[in-house]
Amino acid sequence: MKNRLKVARAEHNLSQADLADRIGVSRQTVNSIETARYVPSTVLALKLAQVFGKPVDQLFMLEETD
Amino acid sequence: MKNRLKVARAEHNLSQADLADRIGVSRQTVNSIETARYVPSTVLALKLAQVFGKPVDQLFMLEETD
DNA sequence: TCACAATGTCAAGTTGATTTTACATATATT
DNA sequence: AATATATGTAAAATCAACTTGACATTGTGA
């Protein structure tokens, strides 16, 4: 699964730590999701979508390997 | 988190087992997600959205408790 | 009534998401 | 040079997702 978190974060001028605070997880979790080490839960995906004002599908996209 | 899987499944006339096959998980997993015992991964949410031709946000919705 | 499909749920086990703590590095600011 | 901010990553622990297998219930058709 790909994601556009880094770009969305840049658009909103948020650090990984800022974003982590906003969605109630650790900074490392945000970093791990962003670098695609972890697949987040749907609750986290929805919270991220809420923060960025974009639908989940515009933040996370399936790949062939999924 | 709430979900509209049961309705979407009815609209597409799919059993829980059918749906499970389509997204590559066990029948019990579909049942557990539908009855909100488990929060699915974002990959599963995207696959469900794909099967039903609806965005993730129309299948899963945050609640105050999330 | 007898099968059968669909659903709900439980228990035990494995894997993976998330946390905390910690360290390293790069960049910018003073 | 020193301090601070942002990022990347690693190890160990915890908890939740997901699996398999199994059993019970409900509704439906033969």
Side-chain angles (χ1 to χ4, degrees), chain A residues 6-53:
Chain A
K6 194 170 181 173
V7 173
R9 230 172 19 80
E11 287 171 349
H12 288 255
N13 200 34
L14 289 174
S15 70
Q16 292 180 347
D18 289 335
L19 183 53
D21 280 349
R22 294 265 206 121
I23 64 175
V25 296
S26 70
R27 179 181 70 82
Q28 288 83 342
T29 294
V30 165
N31 183 71
S32 294
I33 294 170
E34 193 164 309
T35 58
R37 265 200 303 278
Y38 293 152
V39 172
S41 74
T42 300
V43 167
L44 284 193
L46 288 171
K47 286 184 180 178
L48 288 165
Q50 197 174 62
V51 166
F52 293 128

Side-chain angles (χ1 to χ4, degrees), chain B residues 22-40:
Chain B
R22 295 265 205 122
I23 64 175
V25 296
S26 70
R27 179 182 70 82
Q28 288 86 339
T29 294
V30 165
N31 184 70
S32 294
I33 293 169
E34 192 165 308
T35 58
R37 265 200 303 276
Y38 291 153
V39 172

